[in-house]
Amino acid sequence: AAEKKVPPPRRFHRNCDKHLDAMVGNLDALVAMEEESTPVAYQWLLQFMVLVYVSFYPWCVTHETAFMLLFTTAIMSFVYYGLNTITHEHEEPFGQFGADLNLQRSYEYFFDVLAGQQSETPAVSRANSSGHRAESPQVPG
């Protein structure tokens, strides 16, 4: 049995449908990732525990000078709260600020490129209705 050839426009639409279905599936995965994964109560507890640790550290360490104690407490506060801020940023990577992944801009760019590819016509010579090959238009140089 001879296989039936799919006409190019239908093949193009089938490929677009396949890619759009994949995009919708990926968008669903991104939306699931965007949902809050850590409860707010757990975040408050973690921030409270860091505050308690940094607050009581100077009273627990007795063998350091006052300057060194101030320095180590400041460095610990910077490191712990910095790590906490970074983890919050990684939990919510989507947004419209500098370090965020802007989904709207990414999809607009993707659809602009897709529309540009769809509207382009190949610059190859085609056969005309009489069977003779038509020449490609020459660009003046």
Side-chain angles (χ1 to χ4, degrees), residues 52-66:
V52 167
Y53 181 76
V54 170
S55 300
F56 285 123
Y57 178 75
W59 284 276
C60 297
V61 177
T62 57
H63 62 279
E64 289 185 0
T65 64

Side-chain angles (χ1 to χ4, degrees), residues 66-77:
F67 175 74
M68 187 55 80
L69 193 59
L70 177 68
F71 181 72
T72 56
T73 304
I75 293 296
M76 275 192 335
S77 299

Side-chain angles (χ1 to χ4, degrees), residues 23 30 34 47 63 65 67 81 83 89 100 126 132 134:
M23 281 178 41
L30 288 174
E34 188 178 21
Q47 290 176 357
H63 62 279
T65 64
F67 175 74
Y81 284 110
L83 286 173
E89 186 66 33
D100 294 337
R126 298 180 214 146
H132 295 95

Side-chain angles (χ1 to χ4, degrees), residues 17-32 107:
D17 288 342
K18 179 178 72 170
H19 290 295
L20 287 174
D21 287 342
M23 281 178 41
V24 168
N26 290 335
L27 182 63
D28 289 342
L30 288 174
V31 169
Y107 277 105

Side-chain angles (χ1 to χ4, degrees), residues 40-55:
V40 175
Y42 179 74
Q43 294 173 5
W44 289 346
L45 176 66
L46 184 62
Q47 290 176 357
F48 177 73
M49 294 303 292
V50 169
L51 177 68
V52 167
Y53 181 76
V54 170
S55 300

Side-chain angles (χ1 to χ4, degrees), residues 1 7 23 37 43 48 62 69 75 90 93-94 97 99 120-121 129 131 141:
M23 281 178 41
S37 60
Q43 294 173 5
F48 177 73
T62 57
L69 193 59
I75 293 296
H90 282 278
F94 308 110
F97 299 110
E120 288 178 359
T121 56
S129 60

